[in-house]
Amino acid sequence: MTVTLADVAARAQVSPATVSRVLNGNYPVAASTRERVLKAVDELDYVLNGPASALAAATSDLVGILVNDIADPFFGIMAGAVQSEIGGPGGRAGGERLAVVCNTGGTPERELTYLTLLQRQRAAAVVLTGGAMEDAAHQAAVAAKLRKLTEAGTRVVLCGRPPAPQTGAIALTFDNRGGGRELTEHLIGLGHRRIGYIAGPEERTTTRHRLEGHRAALAAHGIEEDPRWAVHGRYDRQSGYEATLELLRRDPTLTAVVAANDTVALGACAALRDSGLRIPEDVSVAGFDDLPFSIDAVPALTTVRLPLAEAGARAGRIAMGREEAPIGGIATVRGELMVRGSSGGPRV
Amino acid sequence: MTVTLADVAARAQVSPATVSRVLNGNYPVAASTRERVLKAVDELDYVLNGPASALAAATSDLVGILVNDIADPFFGIMAGAVQSEIGGPGGRAGGERLAVVCNTGGTPERELTYLTLLQRQRAAAVVLTGGAMEDAAHQAAVAAKLRKLTEAGTRVVLCGRPPAPQTGAIALTFDNRGGGRELTEHLIGLGHRRIGYIAGPEERTTTRHRLEGHRAALAAHGIEEDPRWAVHGRYDRQSGYEATLELLRRDPTLTAVVAANDTVALGACAALRDSGLRIPEDVSVAGFDDLPFSIDAVPALTTVRLPLAEAGARAGRIAMGREEAPIGGIATVRGELMVRGSSGGPRV
DNA sequence: CGCGGTACAGCAAGCGCTTTCTATGCGGTA
DNA sequence: TACCGCATAGAAAGCGCTTGCTGTACCGCG
């Protein structure tokens, strides 16, 4: 039925061992033999049995990439960058690796299940992207899982996620707090004092850090935050739209709105326009991430650029052992303030 | 070192066979025995060895999803939908499947390599998304690969791709031609006669079909197309920007520009604005796909909505054998014209 | 009381590959 | 010429799991 190593061996008149060695290329094989084997492989159209090989060699060429939402470019960009570095087809590395992109939907259970599934597949490495859940029980469970993975020799890299101490995981953390602070300071510098904030889901680290940065900026400038100025929502456009209307209802005198990310900011812009407000003349808007479409918003979005592709690529290289891990296993990746048309001085 | 089935068996005082059966649940096991086994599994923190199990059972729980560009929401949305249906964690199906999202970058070699890699892993199913390359040699190679896969029992589904006859693959094809035609007819109906077209890469089926639809509309209305009105580019924003400038240079009297997709349309909008032209008063713009951000463009983009999530979900169900394949193995998925602010009557 | 049937549980043979250890042949050196 | 070592190929023992087949109780029934 299906052709096996043994078939190839028979055809090439060598032992299965020799065929295996030709295919893996980590043992001396005479050139003439090698050619004979390769010819047989070609003629029989032989394809290695991955599971069998993984079992025998106790290694696998699978690399897991966990993302919260694969339809969101924020994750897509990182995942693509990781994949380009792990040496899949077209990658730079030697062996061919299969990237397994897992969509957790941001739910703890699926995150754990995928981690187990990857552990079951004996994945060579795992990259977790995006913010973590703040639920203590879940964090402990994930940490335990990560520890198991690293102990079993799987390299674990966190990309855009807070460090997971005692797990052996390498962390490339985004400086969400610093970026958030810089962004709000920019608005304050423009003269804004009444600034609304549309935060992401409460239980996410990313949400909390960005909000903390925002508040730090307010505090640093002696601005007391009105509790009405902050709303929590999801990381999507509709949430931004609704939250903005809510914000406007609570305090129509706001002169600026900071969104949890660019997608939310787009929703905010739509809500403002639909409310008859001009951007930035009446209300300034700012986002976070600098996703590709942000520059095409009208006016172009002021935001904090996160080097998603670079971070993802680095995470991929570290996962493959092709780049040294940062000292202490933790590196902070900074964002860059991008001032564009959506922010301006407040109306007088 | 690592705990195996045998360890669990020993601890539960049963044979390995019994443990396996408890875990797979496809053979009667007394409730008391089952509990003892599960307790042992829990206590030992046992995780099944995927490769070993796949080898022994000659099946795998991997499902491959090929996309051209994972950072592009067009593919991300489809991939996410497929994944939600294949019964991974959170999915509806029973067994837990691992979705393997492979980023081909739109290159033939990587597409083939990934297909081989999936074949090697004995994937349970493979879903190919997005347009195909029109290179004859490559198409033949892919067709051969697909045939091998289906022959080996792997279900193959094409989502948003032309059918691959004689391969056993099920095709869910987007009606790009019909959508393109409808879109251009809308513009013609508004009074436009001088319409520029920014096509995608030449060798893609998607590109060709959309362009054919456009031309069919022109022909149907007796409009002779000026060769200067069409430019080819990539499916990205920058390409749209540059192509639009080129179009404007070639014929400044154009009253409308149709883009290969929404992303390209966004670039076109930017180029028009930077050229001092108003949308749609001076030039109308239209896109294709109706990606989430299209409604947030200013003015909102007139486009053809493709039911990406629905198609992806259906592809996933078919791949899992949970939905019957369409008769003849081919189904056409139609787009829906979305008329929004970016298109209006031509300037007089 | 004996027998067929049912409901479990175990044995053991692989699944297709990798890899250690062992064999063989040959050239070079003393 | 005899011996040693190197280069290369093969034999065979698993890797950890699944599953067909073979027990072995125990039940109910005639």
Side-chain angles (χ1 to χ4, degrees):
Chain A
M1 186 59 225
T2 63
V3 16
T4 71
L5 236 211
D7 299 330
V8 175
R11 174 149 197 138
Q13 317 240 56
V14 297
S15 73
T18 301
V19 178
S20 170
R21 300 204 258 244
V22 167
L23 263 24
N24 292 296
N26 46 18
Y27 193 86
V29 174
S32 62
T33 313
R34 177 197 320 286
E35 262 176 48
R36 209 142 33 87
V37 169
L38 291 178
K39 181 150 164 288
V41 165
D42 206 53
E43 288 168 353
L44 295 178
D45 223 350
Y46 171 69
V47 175
L48 189 69
N49 182 316
S53 143
L55 172 59
T59 63
S60 122
D61 46 10
L62 252 47
V63 174
I65 305 175
L66 264 63
V67 301
N68 282 353
D69 181 6
I70 199 173
D72 184 338
F74 176 80
F75 293 100
I77 292 170
M78 281 194 285
V82 171
Q83 187 170 34
S84 73
E85 291 287 342
I86 62 165
R92 298 155 188 59
E96 276 163 355
R97 298 238 158 52
L98 238 194
V100 179
V101 179
C102 308
N103 204 208
T104 66
T107 69
E109 313 81 52
R110 290 176 69 173
E111 186 164 287
L112 275 174
T113 315
Y114 271 124
L115 248 17
T116 304
L117 238 31
L118 289 166
Q119 182 185 4
R120 170 179 303 185
Q121 297 296 336
R122 307 298 189 250
V126 174
V127 177
L128 290 89
T129 65
M133 289 285 151
E134 298 225 280
D135 179 81
H138 174 58
Q139 283 195 321
V142 169
K145 212 35 143 189
L146 297 186
R147 197 173 318 119
K148 288 245 171 53
L149 283 166
T150 57
E151 275 167 7
T154 297
R155 223 168 311 212
V156 177
V157 183
L158 309 174
C159 183
R161 223 181 215 248
Q166 319 292 332
T167 60
I170 308 296
L172 260 37
T173 307
F174 291 145
D175 182 20
N176 285 307
R177 200 176 282 129
R181 175 170 179 152
E182 213 181 329
L183 187 59
T184 296
E185 280 184 336
H186 157 68
L187 292 171
I188 294 173
L190 287 173
H192 294 277
R193 291 297 176 272
R194 314 177 69 76
I195 307 175
Y197 192 93
I198 308 174
E202 301 236 31
E203 68 288 359
R204 297 278 182 76
T205 53
T206 306
T207 299
R208 185 162 61 77
H209 293 157
R210 291 182 182 179
L211 183 51
E212 282 174 6
H214 168 71
R215 291 187 166 149
L218 293 181
H221 291 264
I223 301 175
E224 197 182 334
E225 193 192 10
D226 186 318
R228 295 174 304 158
W229 295 348
V231 192
H232 278 275
R234 298 177 312 279
Y235 278 126
D236 64 33
R237 172 184 189 275
Q238 198 192 343
S239 180
Y241 189 94
E242 291 163 1
T244 303
L245 294 184
E246 169 69 16
L247 239 28
L248 249 29
R249 191 157 2 99
R250 292 188 189 174
D251 183 354
T253 71
L254 289 174
T255 62
V257 171
V258 178
N261 73 12
D262 289 352
T263 309
V264 173
L266 244 43
C269 288
L272 290 171
R273 264 194 307 276
D274 289 357
S275 304
L277 295 167
R278 293 163 302 162
I279 305 168
E281 293 81 359
D282 296 319
V283 178
S284 286
V285 175
F288 209 111
D289 295 343
D290 195 25
L291 296 186
F293 58 70
S294 305
I295 199 168
D296 281 313
V298 180
L301 214 53
T302 288
T303 185
V304 175
R305 163 186 282 270
L306 247 26
L308 300 175
E310 292 82 346
R314 185 164 172 211
R317 287 193 301 270
I318 294 174
M320 289 300 91
R322 285 194 294 117
E323 175 174 323
E324 232 176 310
I327 43 176
I330 300 179
T332 300
V333 177
R334 315 200 75 83
E336 183 190 353
L337 178 65
M338 308 296 287
V339 176
R340 304 212 183 95
S342 72
S343 62
R347 58 174 179 275
V348 280
Chain B
M1 187 59 226
T2 64
V3 16
T4 73
L5 237 210
D7 298 332
V8 175
R11 173 145 197 144
Q13 317 240 53
V14 296
S15 73
T18 301
V19 177
S20 170
R21 300 205 257 245
V22 167
L23 261 26
N24 292 296
N26 47 17
Y27 194 88
V29 174
S32 63
T33 313
R34 178 198 319 285
E35 261 177 49
R36 208 145 31 92
V37 170
L38 291 178
K39 182 151 163 285
V41 165
D42 205 54
E43 287 169 355
L44 294 177
D45 224 348
Y46 170 68
V47 175
L48 190 69
N49 182 316
S53 145
L55 172 59
T59 63
S60 121
D61 46 10
L62 252 47
V63 174
I65 305 174
L66 264 64
V67 301
N68 282 353
D69 180 6
I70 199 172
D72 184 337
F74 177 81
F75 293 100
I77 291 170
M78 280 194 286
V82 172
Q83 188 169 36
S84 72
E85 291 288 342
I86 62 166
R92 297 158 190 58
E96 275 163 357
R97 300 239 156 53
L98 239 193
V100 179
V101 178
C102 307
N103 205 208
T104 66
T107 70
E109 314 82 53
R110 290 176 69 174
E111 186 164 287
L112 275 174
T113 316
Y114 271 126
L115 248 17
T116 304
L117 237 32
L118 288 166
Q119 183 184 4
R120 170 179 302 184
Q121 297 295 336
R122 306 298 189 253
V126 175
V127 177
L128 290 89
T129 65
M133 290 283 152
E134 299 225 282
D135 179 80
H138 174 59
Q139 283 194 322
V142 168
K145 213 37 146 184
L146 295 186
R147 196 173 320 116
K148 287 244 174 54
L149 282 166
T150 57
E151 275 167 7
T154 297
R155 222 166 313 209
V156 178
V157 183
L158 309 174
C159 183
R161 233 185 205 243
Q166 319 293 332
T167 59
I170 308 297
L172 260 36
T173 308
F174 290 145
D175 181 21
N176 285 307
R177 199 176 284 129
R181 174 168 180 155
E182 213 180 330
L183 186 59
T184 296
E185 281 184 334
H186 158 67
L187 292 171
I188 294 173
L190 287 174
H192 294 276
R193 290 297 175 272
R194 314 178 69 76
I195 306 175
Y197 192 93
I198 307 173
E202 301 237 30
E203 67 287 0
R204 297 279 182 75
T205 53
T206 306
T207 299
R208 185 163 61 76
H209 293 156
R210 291 182 182 178
L211 182 51
E212 282 174 7
H214 169 70
R215 291 187 165 147
L218 293 181
H221 291 263
I223 302 175
E224 197 181 334
E225 191 191 12
D226 186 318
R228 296 175 304 160
W229 295 349
V231 191
H232 277 275
R234 299 177 313 280
Y235 278 126
D236 64 32
R237 173 182 190 276
Q238 197 192 343
S239 180
Y241 189 95
E242 292 162 1
T244 302
L245 295 183
E246 170 68 15
L247 239 29
L248 250 28
R249 190 158 0 98
R250 292 188 188 173
D251 183 353
T253 72
L254 290 175
T255 63
V257 171
V258 178
N261 72 13
D262 289 350
T263 310
V264 173
L266 244 42
C269 288
L272 291 171
R273 263 196 306 275
D274 289 356
S275 303
L277 295 167
R278 292 163 305 162
I279 305 167
E281 292 81 359
D282 297 318
V283 179
S284 286
V285 175
F288 209 111
D289 294 343
D290 194 26
L291 296 186
F293 57 70
S294 304
I295 199 169
D296 280 313
V298 179
L301 213 52
T302 288
T303 185
V304 175
R305 161 186 283 271
L306 246 28
L308 300 175
E310 291 82 345
R314 186 166 171 207
R317 286 192 301 269
I318 294 174
M320 288 300 92
R322 284 193 295 117
E323 176 173 324
E324 232 175 310
I327 44 177
I330 299 180
T332 300
V333 176
R334 316 200 75 83
E336 183 192 352
L337 179 63
M338 307 296 287
V339 176
R340 303 210 183 96
S342 72
S343 62
R347 59 175 177 273
V348 281

